Coordinates of all heavy atoms in Angstrom, one line a residue:
V565 N 58.5 194.2 139.4 CA 59.8 193.8 139.9 C 59.5 192.9 141.2 O 60.2 191.9 141.4 CB 60.7 195.0 140.3 CG1 61.8 194.6 141.1 CG2 61.1 195.6 139.0
L566 N 58.6 193.3 142.1 CA 58.3 192.6 143.3 C 57.7 191.2 142.9 O 58.1 190.2 143.5 CB 57.3 193.3 144.2 CG 58.0 194.6 144.9 CD1 56.9 195.3 145.6 CD2 59.0 194.1 145.8
L567 N 56.8 191.1 142.0 CA 56.2 189.9 141.6 C 57.2 188.9 140.9 O 57.2 187.7 141.2 CB 55.0 190.1 140.6 CG 53.7 190.7 141.3 CD1 52.7 191.0 140.2 CD2 53.2 189.7 142.3
A568 N 58.1 189.5 140.1 CA 59.1 188.7 139.4 C 60.1 188.2 140.5 O 60.5 187.0 140.4 CB 59.8 189.5 138.4
S569 N 60.4 189.0 141.5 CA 61.4 188.5 142.5 C 60.7 187.4 143.4 O 61.4 186.4 143.7 CB 61.7 189.7 143.4 OG 62.3 190.7 142.7
Y570 N 59.5 187.6 143.7 CA 58.8 186.6 144.5 C 58.7 185.3 143.7 O 59.0 184.2 144.3 CB 57.4 187.1 144.8 CG 56.5 186.1 145.5 CD1 56.7 185.8 146.9 CD2 55.6 185.4 144.8 CE1 55.9 184.8 147.5 CE2 54.8 184.4 145.4 CZ 55.0 184.1 146.8 OH 54.3 183.2 147.4
Y571 N 58.3 185.4 142.5 CA 58.2 184.1 141.7 C 59.6 183.5 141.5 O 59.7 182.2 141.7 CB 57.7 184.4 140.3 CG 57.7 183.2 139.4 CD1 56.8 182.2 139.5 CD2 58.7 183.1 138.4 CE1 56.8 181.1 138.7 CE2 58.7 182.0 137.6 CZ 57.8 181.0 137.8 OH 57.8 179.9 137.0
Y572 N 60.6 184.2 141.3 CA 62.0 183.7 141.1 C 62.4 182.9 142.4 O 62.9 181.8 142.4 CB 63.0 184.7 140.7 CG 64.4 184.2 140.7 CD1 64.8 183.5 139.6 CD2 65.3 184.5 141.8 CE1 66.1 183.0 139.6 CE2 66.6 184.0 141.8 CZ 67.0 183.3 140.7 OH 68.3 182.8 140.7
F573 N 62.3 183.6 143.5 CA 62.7 183.0 144.8 C 61.9 181.8 145.3 O 62.4 180.9 145.8 CB 62.9 184.0 145.9 CG 64.0 185.0 145.6 CD1 63.8 186.3 145.3 CD2 65.4 184.5 145.7 CE1 64.9 187.1 145.1 CE2 66.4 185.3 145.4 CZ 66.2 186.7 145.1
T574 N 60.6 181.8 145.0 CA 59.8 180.7 145.4 C 60.0 179.5 144.5 O 60.0 178.4 144.9 CB 58.3 181.0 145.5 OG1 57.9 181.6 144.2 CG2 58.0 182.0 146.6
A575 N 60.1 179.8 143.2 CA 60.3 178.7 142.2 C 61.7 178.1 142.4 O 61.9 176.9 142.2 CB 60.2 179.3 140.8
S576 N 62.7 178.9 142.7 CA 64.0 178.3 142.9 C 64.1 177.4 144.2 O 65.0 176.6 144.3 CB 65.1 179.4 142.9 OG 64.9 180.2 144.0
G577 N 63.2 177.7 145.1 CA 63.2 176.9 146.4 C 62.5 175.6 146.3 O 62.7 174.7 147.1
N578 N 61.6 175.5 145.3 CA 60.8 174.2 145.1 C 61.6 173.2 144.4 O 62.3 173.5 143.4 CB 59.6 174.5 144.3 CG 58.6 175.4 145.1 OD1 58.7 175.5 146.3 ND2 57.7 176.1 144.4
K579 N 61.5 172.0 144.9 CA 62.2 170.9 144.2 C 61.3 170.2 143.3 O 60.1 170.1 143.5 CB 62.8 169.9 145.3 CG 63.8 170.5 146.2 CD 64.3 169.4 147.2 CE 65.4 170.0 148.1 NZ 65.9 169.0 149.0
Q580 N 61.9 169.6 142.2 CA 61.1 168.9 141.3 C 61.0 167.4 141.7 O 61.8 166.9 142.4 CB 61.7 168.9 139.9 CG 61.7 170.2 139.2 CD 62.4 170.1 137.9 OE1 63.0 169.2 137.5 NE2 62.3 171.2 137.1
S581 N 59.9 166.8 141.3 CA 59.7 165.4 141.7 C 60.6 164.5 140.8 O 60.6 164.6 139.6 CB 58.3 165.0 141.5 OG 58.1 163.7 141.7
D582 N 61.4 163.6 141.5 CA 62.3 162.7 140.8 C 61.7 161.3 140.8 O 62.0 160.5 139.9 CB 63.6 162.7 141.5 CG 64.7 161.9 140.6 OD1 64.6 162.0 139.4 OD2 65.5 161.2 141.3
F583 N 60.7 161.1 141.7 CA 60.1 159.7 141.9 C 58.8 159.9 142.6 O 58.8 160.7 143.6 CB 61.1 158.8 142.7 CG 60.7 157.4 142.8 CD1 60.9 156.5 141.7 CD2 60.0 157.0 143.9 CE1 60.5 155.2 141.8 CE2 59.6 155.6 144.0 CZ 59.8 154.8 142.9
N584 N 57.8 159.3 142.2 CA 56.4 159.5 142.7 C 55.9 158.2 143.3 O 55.7 157.2 142.7 CB 55.5 160.0 141.7 CG 55.9 161.3 141.2 OD1 56.1 162.3 141.9 ND2 56.0 161.5 139.8
I585 N 55.5 158.3 144.6 CA 54.8 157.2 145.3 C 53.4 157.8 145.6 O 53.3 158.9 146.2 CB 55.5 156.8 146.6 CG1 56.9 156.3 146.3 CG2 54.7 155.8 147.3 CD1 57.8 156.0 147.5
V586 N 52.4 157.0 145.3 CA 51.0 157.4 145.6 C 50.5 156.4 146.7 O 50.4 155.2 146.4 CB 50.1 157.5 144.4 CG1 48.7 157.7 144.8 CG2 50.6 158.5 143.4
L587 N 50.0 157.0 147.8 CA 49.4 156.2 148.8 C 47.9 156.4 148.7 O 47.4 157.6 148.9 CB 49.9 156.6 150.2 CG 49.2 156.0 151.4 CD1 49.4 154.5 151.4 CD2 49.8 156.6 152.7
F588 N 47.2 155.4 148.4 CA 45.7 155.5 148.1 C 45.1 154.8 149.3 O 44.8 153.6 149.3 CB 45.4 154.8 146.8 CG 44.1 155.1 146.2 CD1 43.8 156.3 145.8 CD2 43.2 154.1 146.0 CE1 42.6 156.6 145.2 CE2 41.9 154.3 145.5 CZ 41.6 155.6 145.0
S589 N 44.8 155.5 150.4 CA 44.4 154.9 151.6 C 43.6 155.9 152.4 O 43.4 157.1 152.1 CB 45.6 154.4 152.4 OG 45.3 153.9 153.6
I590 N 43.1 155.4 153.6 CA 42.3 156.3 154.4 C 43.1 157.2 155.3 O 42.7 158.2 155.8 CB 41.2 155.5 155.3 CG1 40.2 156.4 155.8 CG2 41.9 154.7 156.3 CD1 39.0 155.7 156.3
N591 N 44.4 156.8 155.6 CA 45.3 157.6 156.4 C 46.7 157.6 155.8 O 47.0 156.8 155.0 CB 45.3 157.0 157.9 CG 46.1 155.7 158.0 OD1 46.1 154.9 157.1 ND2 46.7 155.5 159.1
N592 N 47.4 158.6 156.3 CA 48.8 158.8 155.8 C 49.8 158.7 156.9 O 50.2 159.7 157.5 CB 48.9 160.1 155.1 CG 50.3 160.3 154.5 OD1 51.1 159.4 154.4 ND2 50.5 161.5 153.9
P593 N 50.3 157.5 157.2 CA 51.2 157.4 158.3 C 52.6 157.9 158.0 O 53.4 158.1 158.9 CB 51.2 155.8 158.6 CG 50.9 155.2 157.3 CD 49.9 156.2 156.6
F594 N 52.9 158.1 156.7 CA 54.2 158.6 156.3 C 54.4 160.1 156.7 O 55.6 160.5 156.7 CB 54.4 158.5 154.8 CG 54.5 157.0 154.4 CD1 53.6 156.6 153.4 CD2 55.4 156.2 154.9 CE1 53.7 155.2 153.0 CE2 55.5 154.9 154.5 CZ 54.6 154.4 153.6
A595 N 53.4 160.8 157.1 CA 53.5 162.2 157.4 C 54.5 162.4 158.6 O 55.2 163.4 158.7 CB 52.2 162.8 157.7
D596 N 54.5 161.4 159.5 CA 55.3 161.6 160.7 C 56.6 160.8 160.7 O 57.4 160.8 161.7 CB 54.5 161.1 162.0 CG 53.2 161.9 162.1 OD1 53.2 163.1 161.8 OD2 52.3 161.3 162.6
L597 N 56.9 160.2 159.6 CA 58.1 159.3 159.5 C 59.2 160.0 158.6 O 58.9 160.8 157.8 CB 57.7 158.0 158.9 CG 56.7 157.2 159.7 CD1 56.3 156.0 158.9 CD2 57.2 156.8 161.0

Side-chain angles (χ1 to χ4, degrees):
V565 168
L566 289 173
L567 287 174
S569 300
Y570 174 77
Y571 174 75
Y572 173 78
F573 288 112
T574 56
S576 64
N578 292 339
K579 294 181 179 180
Q580 293 179 350
S581 173
D582 190 35
F583 187 82
N584 295 308
I585 299 173
V586 174
L587 175 61
F588 197 65
S589 176
I590 197 165
N591 71 330
N592 183 7
F594 292 122
D596 301 327
L597 300 173

